[in-house]
Amino acid sequence: MPELPEVEVTRRSFAPSIAGARILSAHLGKPLRWPLGLAPQALVGRRVLAVRRRGKYLLVDLSEGLLLLHLGMSGSLRFAPAEGLPAAGPHDHFDLVTTQGVLRLHDPRRFGAVVYAPQGEEDPVARKLLGKLGMEPLEESFAPAAFYQGLQASRTPIKLLLLGGKLVVGVGNIYASEVLFTAGISPLAPANSIGPRRARRLYEAIRSVLAAAVEQGGTTLKDFSNAYGMPGHFQLQAQVYDREGLPCTRCAAPLRRVLQGQRSTFYCSYCQKL
DNA sequence: CTCACGCCCTGCGCGC
DNA sequence: TGCGCGCAGGGCGTGA
């Protein structure tokens, strides 16, 4: 479900509400991708200072240490008052009960994770997860020149390079297809075959597509909603994702699907050049 | 380094 | 209606 825009929309929806809260208790459900790394009771009494994002990770700064949250493929967060909150269901695997509400992770497939890093971002645990991440596409630090250099340094097909997250983070399988369609570049094009002009178009496409998705409250392709259960606005219709055989919105040719790294890529073989 | 692949786990939609 | 299959928005580890 969640790519960068969805994670960011989730973050914005509850970060102000939880900031300053004191942790009253914490509860684990079934095992997630990785163990939490400490007994949940040990979190009691700490304060939640802020919620930040790095790539698709949410970083919950505590008065001591840091929680790294990842939503995996099927995860979602809710933040609600303890009163009236339903009992944890079979797919609710983490509850952080605070003085200002309960943060609950719901994740049927359990590819998500909640990991405690005692030393914050400098912690070995955090470094292992965050250390190799690429540039943040919506930050000022995401520079066209650095992006172009990154493309030149790899022969990998551009779709796979974008998905890999080592050059730029947060572009998941849906937005990778969408961004390449917007830029008019074939997903099969070797990254280093993309010249400066097209690299610049791709750079702009990444920024504009992701920023628009955040503005719209996250793309609602299936069932995304923020931490208050509010869905995205549906304005951002996918141009190519999951539209195999349907007409291209620009040239009406049937859109294609190919497998890259065992994952589906959708594109228009006429509008998107190698 | 890159790549292909397996794997983690559950749910859904499809064809039969 | 029920069943089996393929597929799903992520990402890590392994081995070639």
Side-chain angles (χ1 to χ4, degrees), chain A residues 198-222:
Chain A
R198 304 171 78 210
R200 181 65 189 226
R201 268 201 296 167
L202 182 53
Y203 168 88
E204 299 293 350
I206 291 168
R207 291 195 80 126
S208 63
V209 170
L210 294 182
V214 171
E215 289 302 307
Q216 302 292 341
T219 303
T220 307
L221 285 173
K222 289 274 197 297

Side-chain angles (χ1 to χ4, degrees), chain A residues 35-119:
Chain A
L36 176 60
L38 90 171
Q41 310 85 271
L43 296 171
V44 172
R46 299 185 198 196
R47 279 195 183 280
V48 177
L49 304 180
V51 184
R52 297 174 292 135
R53 181 187 55 74
R54 179 74 177 97
K56 294 169 191 164
Y57 287 91
L58 288 175
L59 313 184
V60 181
D61 289 309
L62 304 178
S63 47
E64 183 190 340
L66 168 74
L67 288 175
L68 293 132
L69 304 186
H70 199 290
L71 303 181
M73 293 272 264
S74 59
S76 61
L77 288 172
R78 285 295 140 89
F79 187 72
E83 314 83 60
L85 186 75
H91 300 312
D92 296 327
H93 304 303
F94 182 71
D95 270 2
L96 191 68
V97 182
T98 78
T99 49
Q100 291 166 203
V102 181
L103 183 66
R104 170 170 289 178
L105 173 66
H106 177 87
D107 185 4
R109 288 177 75 180
R110 290 192 280 132
F111 288 2
V114 184
V115 175
Y116 177 67
Q119 324 276 352

Side-chain angles (χ1 to χ4, degrees), chain A residues 25-257:
Chain A
S25 64
H27 309 274
L28 292 172
K30 291 188 195 167
L32 292 161
R33 176 158 196 172
W34 297 297
L36 176 60
L38 90 171
Q41 310 85 271
L43 296 171
V44 172
R46 299 185 198 196
R47 279 195 183 280
V48 177
L49 304 180
V51 184
R52 297 174 292 135
R53 181 187 55 74
R54 179 74 177 97
K56 294 169 191 164
Y57 287 91
L58 288 175
L59 313 184
V60 181
D61 289 309
L62 304 178
S63 47
E64 183 190 340
L66 168 74
L67 288 175
L68 293 132
L69 304 186
H70 199 290
L71 303 181
M73 293 272 264
S74 59
S76 61
L77 288 172
R78 285 295 140 89
F79 187 72
E83 314 83 60
L85 186 75
H91 300 312
D92 296 327
H93 304 303
F94 182 71
D95 270 2
L96 191 68
V97 182
T98 78
T99 49
Q100 291 166 203
V102 181
L103 183 66
R104 170 170 289 178
L105 173 66
H106 177 87
D107 185 4
R109 288 177 75 180
R110 290 192 280 132
F111 288 2
V114 184
V115 175
Y116 177 67
Q119 324 276 352
E121 281 183 86
E122 307 311 312
D123 199 281
V125 177
R127 285 203 146 144
K128 176 162 189 191
L129 297 175
L130 307 176
K132 292 180 301 179
L133 297 183
M135 295 179 279
E136 283 290 335
L138 300 181
E139 299 287 313
E140 290 303 318
S141 53
F142 182 44
F147 180 63
Y148 176 61
Q149 282 177 26
L151 297 185
Q152 289 307 107
S154 172
R155 290 169 298 165
T156 299
I158 184 59
K159 157 80 174 342
L160 291 174
L161 185 66
L162 291 178
L163 259 189
K166 287 180 185 162
L167 178 57
V168 55
V169 294
V171 184
N173 204 39
I174 295 176
Y175 291 113
S177 285
E178 295 300 312
V179 151
L180 287 165
F181 176 77
T182 298
I185 296 170
S186 166
L188 308 170
N192 65 357
S193 74
I194 298 171
R197 270 182 57 103
R198 304 171 78 210
R200 181 65 189 226
R201 268 201 296 167
L202 182 53
Y203 168 88
E204 299 293 350
I206 291 168
R207 291 195 80 126
S208 63
V209 170
L210 294 182
V214 171
E215 289 302 307
Q216 302 292 341
T219 303
T220 307
L221 285 173
K222 289 274 197 297
D223 54 3
F224 172 74
S225 58
N226 68 22
Y228 288 101
M230 306 303 295
H233 288 150
F234 292 92
Q235 274 95 340
L236 279 189
Q237 265 297 339
Q239 301 288 301
V240 291
Y241 184 81
D242 204 20
R243 295 178 58 82
E244 181 184 15
L246 294 173
C248 171
T249 53
R250 284 226 301 260
C251 78
L255 296 170
R256 296 196 180 179
R257 181 174 83 98

